[in-house]
Amino acid sequence: MAKVEAADLAYPADQRAGRTEAQQDTQKFAEAAIADSKRQGLLLAVRARWVALAVIAVTLPIINPNWDVIYYIVMLGLFAVIGWAQLKVGKVGRSQPELFLIFCDLALMTLLTVVPNPLSAENWPIGMQFRFETFIYFFVFLATATLAYSWRTVVAMGFWTSAVWAVGVGWAYLQPETHAELSERVRTAVGSDVRMFDILNPAAIGIRTRFQEITVFLIVAMTLALAVRRSNALLISHAGIERERTNLARYFSPNVVEQLSGNDEPLKQVRTQNVAVLFADIVDFTAYTDGRSPMEVIGTLRLFHERMEREVFRHGGTLDKYLGDGLMATFGTPSASDSDAGNALRCAQAMIASIGEFNLERKNRGEPPIRVSVGLHYGEVVLGDIGLNRLEFAVIGTAVNAASRLESLTRELGCAIVVSDDLVRRARAESNHSTDDFALLVEQPAQIIRGLEQPVGIWTCANVTP
């Protein structure tokens, strides 16, 4: 069961449920965003590793122009293979093989750093291994880890590196002394200066320097882990924004979503403007449901709304709400354009044509056809958000009521579409209209519409064949 925060108890149960659903949606988008980031980051990290290893492989012979450098080049090849294996076993969640390969990286680096090169002909004290300052290569692994792994893994790498390095230093410290005479000559040369002796003594491990390396490495690891954590927080925030965009896409056409996403003005600013309002409804749907299973009824509604929604968005409209077996859409919200009325008219005709295609499919399945009626009006409405926590972008006014009653008038007039003269005149005044938009319209006598003071001129359209 999902954990409910104490602060949520101040909200009613339905609001808490809404908040929980929103959090789940955000979590879903966050997981998808982090998963995608992990896949891209791991690929980038491995490629960065290969580039770094190639640079080191080219640089080493320049720094150490001897045959024993082959040993280190072979080791670089092993690191490249480990990176390839990490790419193969890496996944979004916790991966034990992936963690094991990370540990192999660190252990191999420690072995390479502490144990003398077996191909070298030089008989140097083990302490000389630490004079090459190879500990800095651990930072390469730490840096690439930030590209692919969580902040917890980066922290773990900090402590794992410190642990294996401490083990390596401890092993070197416990090795028998092999160059006592050389150390004694250095002591004689520097006299009583202990610090100078520790620096010049080729057999010295330099415990204080090694401790300093571990301390600095841990500080850098913690800092990078914090940066990774902040980066993940930004990903989650971005996922929340994407969820909000997806929610917008449920109501607005894609072009309107882009407009809202880049608009700093809030929708809640109450205003009036002229818009085209469309109501669509299935005729005699109550009779259709009699004797049919709930699954069949809901299935028909889903297919109906899918087709209607597609046409609304295709014609630049906004899906205001579903009304059971019908819907309300607006054209010109949240921002008006110079083609709102024409878009609404073309959308209505496309809806009827789409239902014609739908009925052909239903006929092939042995199902009865459905009839759809559409009402259109153009006029002034009031726009603005209503509600406190669960907001709704409301479109209200006489134009909305008129469009709804024009849709109801289709039954009386025996047609598929009833359009107000206001919308037709507006559509004809728009620059992008064509004669085809009005070819199927038939002018009818003005009708008295309840709620309007003057009779409304109307135009009707019969069913449009697919």
Side-chain angles (χ1 to χ4, degrees):
M1 181 177 296
K3 180 180 178 181
V4 179
E5 299 291 341
D8 285 343
L9 298 177
Y11 292 91
D14 60 337
Q15 293 184 13
R16 290 202 304 270
R19 285 160 58 87
T20 301
E21 291 176 1
Q23 292 168 355
Q24 291 174 348
D25 287 343
T26 300
Q27 183 67 24
K28 178 184 68 174
F29 279 96
E31 290 175 354
I34 292 175
D36 185 62
S37 176
K38 169 65 181 293
R39 285 189 292 268
Q40 296 180 7
L42 184 58
L43 179 60
L44 182 61
V46 173
R47 288 177 176 175
R49 168 197 290 250
W50 289 340
V51 171
L53 292 175
V55 171
I56 295 172
V58 172
T59 305
L60 278 178
I62 299 175
I63 299 175
N64 181 22
N66 296 299
W67 285 108
D68 59 2
V69 78
I70 295 176
Y71 168 73
Y72 297 109
I73 294 178
V74 171
M75 287 295 185
L76 293 178
L78 290 179
F79 284 122
V81 171
I82 292 176
W84 173 83
Q86 289 174 342
L87 191 60
K88 292 299 181 182
V89 305
K91 62 181 183 180
V92 176
R94 183 180 295 275
S95 172
Q96 297 299 332
E98 196 170 20
L99 296 177
F100 173 74
L101 289 173
I102 294 175
F103 187 81
C104 287
D105 268 337
L106 304 178
L108 183 60
M109 176 57 71
T110 303
L111 176 67
L112 184 64
T113 303
V114 174
V115 178
N117 183 350
L119 300 181
S120 176
E122 302 292 343
N123 183 23
W124 286 351
I126 289 181
M128 287 294 295
Q129 287 292 111
F130 298 97
R131 302 304 174 95
F132 302 124
E133 303 297 340
T134 49
F135 183 82
I136 60 175
Y137 292 113
F138 280 108
F139 288 96
V140 176
F141 295 110
L142 184 64
T144 55
T146 62
L147 298 174
Y149 301 117
S150 69
W151 66 271
R152 292 183 178 86
T153 302
V154 174
V155 171
M157 284 190 66
F159 285 101
W160 291 349
T161 301
S162 301
V164 295
W165 185 243
V167 170
V169 171
W171 175 85
Y173 181 78
L174 295 175
Q175 296 306 302
E177 187 175 359
T178 57
H179 294 71
E181 294 180 0
L182 179 60
S183 297
E184 189 60 32
R185 287 200 296 269
V186 172
R187 184 184 299 277
T188 302
V190 300
S192 60
D193 193 334
V194 177
R195 294 183 62 187
M196 182 67 71
F197 174 73
D198 289 338
I199 295 174
L200 298 180
N201 181 15
I205 303 298
I207 297 298
R208 283 179 291 187
T209 303
R210 308 287 81 82
F211 178 79
Q212 182 181 10
E213 290 171 340
I214 290 176
T215 302
V216 173
F217 191 86
L218 283 174
I219 292 174
V220 174
M222 297 304 109
T223 304
L224 290 178
L226 180 61
V228 172
R229 187 174 185 181
R230 290 185 70 247
S231 176
N232 285 344
L234 289 175
L235 274 175
I236 294 175
S237 176
H238 177 71
I241 294 174
E242 287 300 315
R243 176 182 64 82
E244 293 170 1
R245 286 174 59 89
T246 300
N247 286 337
L248 283 174
R250 297 176 183 175
Y251 303 99
F252 301 111
S253 58
N255 60 318
V256 177
V257 172
E258 291 298 325
Q259 177 184 350
L260 292 176
S261 299
N263 190 1
D264 293 332
E265 293 297 324
L267 290 177
K268 65 183 179 181
Q269 287 186 345
V270 178
R271 62 194 184 278
T272 60
Q273 69 183 53
N274 289 325
V275 301
V277 184
L278 179 151
F279 276 86
D281 189 48
I282 300 179
V283 179
D284 295 330
F285 187 73
T286 301
Y288 171 83
T289 60
D290 289 341
R292 301 183 187 277
S293 67
M295 294 298 296
E296 184 179 357
V297 172
I298 295 300
T300 299
L301 280 179
R302 284 176 176 170
L303 292 174
F304 163 73
H305 284 306
E306 177 184 335
R307 286 178 171 272
M308 299 301 97
E309 174 188 302
R310 185 187 307 126
E311 296 303 332
V312 170
F313 290 165
R314 190 165 69 90
H315 290 86
T318 298
L319 180 60
D320 187 84
K321 60 175 67 70
Y322 289 123
L323 304 168
D325 59 336
L327 60 88
M328 171 186 166
T330 56
F331 297 78
T333 58
S335 299
S337 73
D338 57 359
S339 58
D340 297 328
N343 285 342
L345 181 59
R346 287 184 287 270
C347 178
Q349 295 174 344
M351 283 179 165
I352 300 302
S354 179
I355 291 301
E357 297 172 353
F358 184 41
N359 282 333
L360 288 179
E361 297 175 3
R362 293 176 61 81
K363 181 180 180 181
N364 294 334
R365 296 195 298 264
E367 299 173 351
I370 62 173
R371 290 195 302 120
V372 173
S373 59
V374 181
L376 294 168
H377 185 56
Y378 185 84
E380 189 176 76
V381 298
V382 177
L383 305 177
D385 284 345
I386 58 175
L388 177 61
N389 295 296
R390 302 179 67 174
L391 298 178
E392 178 181 343
F393 184 64
V395 181
I396 56 177
T398 305
V400 176
N401 299 331
S404 176
R405 285 162 187 154
L406 289 174
E407 183 276 320
S408 300
L409 193 59
T410 58
R411 279 78 162 170
E412 180 180 334
L413 298 177
C415 60
I417 304 173
V418 173
V419 188
S420 72
D421 188 61
D422 291 332
L423 187 138
V424 173
R425 284 190 286 108
R426 174 62 185 177
R428 282 178 172 161
E430 293 173 349
S431 59
N432 65 338
H433 78 276
S434 69
T435 55
D436 293 339
D437 297 337
F438 313 98
L440 299 176
L441 295 181
V442 178
E443 189 173 8
Q444 303 291 343
Q447 299 286 326
I448 298 176
I449 304 298
R450 184 164 54 91
L452 298 181
E453 296 180 357
Q454 300 295 330
V456 176
I458 63 170
W459 298 70
T460 60
C461 179
N463 284 315
V464 181
T465 58

